[in-house]
Amino acid sequence: MSGGFEWLYPLRFVAVIGVLWIYRAKYRAMDWKFGWFGIAMGVLVFALWMGCDSLLNKTLLNKTSDDAMPKALAAASTGARTTWIVFRALAATVTVPIAEELAFRGFAIRRFIAEDVDALPAASYTWIGLAASSIAFGVMHGNMWFAGILAVFATAGRSFGRAESGKR
């Protein structure tokens, strides 16, 4: 980090892509399902996140639009700035959501039931696991803790309710 700015952020994207590639055989065995509800939840969580960010930064912390881009990035060449922004956008929309889903909904939430989470169906978890993983996710997101907690509850809570009722 240089002056509070992470020039090497693109390496995070590359590292996560590498790890996902190495473990790709494990993910093939997962029960991946596409559904409009998932897209709707993604849009809802995005809106929730942006609303909380706007409320926190503009209202509570009195940040202005001048704070939108770090000075080091603004001062960079167009090529360097564009490359960094592309990697940041790819990470925010591709690798970070996948890594967080696998970490919090794929592992942490089920870890409260058994040590061997791979032996459990994906929808196997308890309210305690849901609450604990939601809080951990929120804490990991710093001042956006409330949005983080709500995001996990919103996405995982529905599948928990469906698992309890026997629906998939």
Side-chain angles (χ1 to χ4, degrees):
M1 222 157 63
S2 173
F5 181 71
E6 294 182 67
W7 279 110
L8 298 178
Y9 189 88
L11 292 180
R12 289 186 188 191
F13 174 81
V14 172
V16 173
I17 288 291
V19 170
L20 291 173
W21 179 258
I22 290 167
Y23 289 98
R24 69 190 179 279
K26 264 185 113 62
Y27 309 137
R28 285 189 191 124
M30 295 176 105
D31 186 20
W32 297 94
K33 290 184 178 149
F34 172 80
W36 290 108
F37 182 79
I39 292 172
M41 289 307 299
V43 170
L44 175 70
V45 168
F46 175 77
L48 168 78
W49 203 272
M50 293 296 103
C52 286
D53 183 58
S54 179
L55 175 69
L56 179 69
N57 286 320
K58 292 183 180 137
T59 307
L60 302 176
L61 298 178
N62 293 323
K63 287 188 176 181
T64 65
S65 60
D66 294 340
D67 301 323
M69 184 181 295
K71 289 176 180 42
L73 184 60
S77 70
T78 302
R81 184 172 50 248
T82 302
T83 300
W84 191 91
I85 290 171
V86 165
F87 274 102
R88 181 68 182 202
L90 285 170
T93 58
V94 179
T95 58
V96 170
I98 292 170
E100 288 178 346
E101 281 292 308
L102 291 169
F104 289 93
R105 283 189 27 191
F107 175 77
I109 204 167
R110 294 183 296 155
R111 185 65 170 86
F112 285 87
I113 297 174
E115 282 187 41
D116 184 10
V117 297
D118 291 335
L120 299 171
S124 297
Y125 50 92
T126 63
W127 283 107
I128 293 170
L130 175 60
S133 65
S134 297
I135 291 167
F137 185 79
V139 168
M140 187 182 89
H141 286 83
N143 63 358
M144 293 294 290
W145 63 270
F146 185 69
I149 291 171
L150 290 180
V152 175
F153 261 103
T155 56
R158 179 182 187 262
S159 61
F160 182 79
R162 292 175 65 83
E164 277 193 331
S165 69
K167 296 178 185 173
R168 290 266 166 176

